């Protein structure tokens, strides 16, 4: 757990969140400022700063998170959804703990803004 990391604190239950799913490796919770009718985040419990910090030592959790996204989306009945991860400030990353946004329930534009 990294000191002063918001998502480490959420994964540890120190800051309240609206849980969607949890297991020993990852935690999923609804975004506090939803950008679609369904908008949740999936994070690894261990601190990884962003996709840019994924390497051979920690990448297994990323595969696991994608399995979880598929399962949770199925359970929520989502037929179409978008998975997004922002890396760095210019791309819009505001929390420096790896997270995958899962957005669904409205038409999406492409390319994203
Ligand atoms: P990003 O801007 O891609 O780094 O995504 C961070 C996301 O975290 C944003 O969509 C925020 O709305 C969301 N967020 C920030 N604080 C919280 C919180 N306490 N609980 C749930 N979501 C949060």
């Amino acid at each position: 757990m990294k000191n002063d990391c918001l998502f480490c604190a959420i994964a540890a239950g120190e800051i309240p969140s609206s849980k969607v799913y949890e297991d020993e490796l990852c935690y999923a919770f609804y975004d506090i400022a939803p950008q679609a009718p369904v908008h949740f985040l999936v994070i690894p419990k261990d601190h990884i700063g962003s996709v840019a910090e994924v390497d051979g030592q920690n990448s297994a959790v990323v595969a696991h998170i994608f399995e979880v996204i598929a399962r949770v989306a199925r359970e929520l009945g989502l037929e179409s959804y978008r998975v997004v991860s922002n890396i760095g400030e210019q791309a819009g990353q505001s929390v420096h703990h790896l997270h995958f946004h899962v957005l669904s329930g409205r038409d999406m534009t492409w390319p994203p803004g």
Side-chain angles (χ1 to χ4, degrees):
M1 180 165 172
K2 187 168 182 283
N3 276 347
D4 298 329
C5 173
L6 173 64
F7 284 0
C8 281
I10 285 178
E14 293 172 1
I15 291 177
S17 63
S18 181
K19 179 163 87 171
V20 179
Y21 173 88
E22 180 175 17
D23 62 29
E24 67 284 4
L25 296 176
C26 71
Y27 185 71
F29 56 106
Y30 285 106
D31 198 291
I32 204 167
Q35 301 300 310
V38 178
H39 184 181
F40 62 89
L41 305 170
V42 190
I43 64 173
K45 287 190 169 176
D46 287 343
H47 186 84
I48 299 172
S50 76
V51 167
E53 292 182 14
V54 174
D55 59 24
Q57 300 300 307
N58 61 21
S59 61
V61 73
V62 178
H64 177 74
I65 283 173
F66 274 83
E67 279 184 46
V68 165
I69 289 171
R71 192 186 322 151
V72 171
R74 224 171 11 248
E75 286 169 5
L76 293 177
L78 308 183
E79 288 179 4
S80 182
Y81 53 95
R82 183 171 288 175
V83 180
V84 178
S85 193
N86 299 319
I87 298 101
E89 276 177 31
Q90 191 176 29
Q93 185 177 11
S94 61
V95 178
H96 295 274
H97 180 124
L98 178 64
H99 52 282
F100 295 93
H101 297 258
V102 181
L103 302 130
S104 185
R106 65 164 170 82
D107 293 340
M108 306 274 170
T109 58
W110 191 264

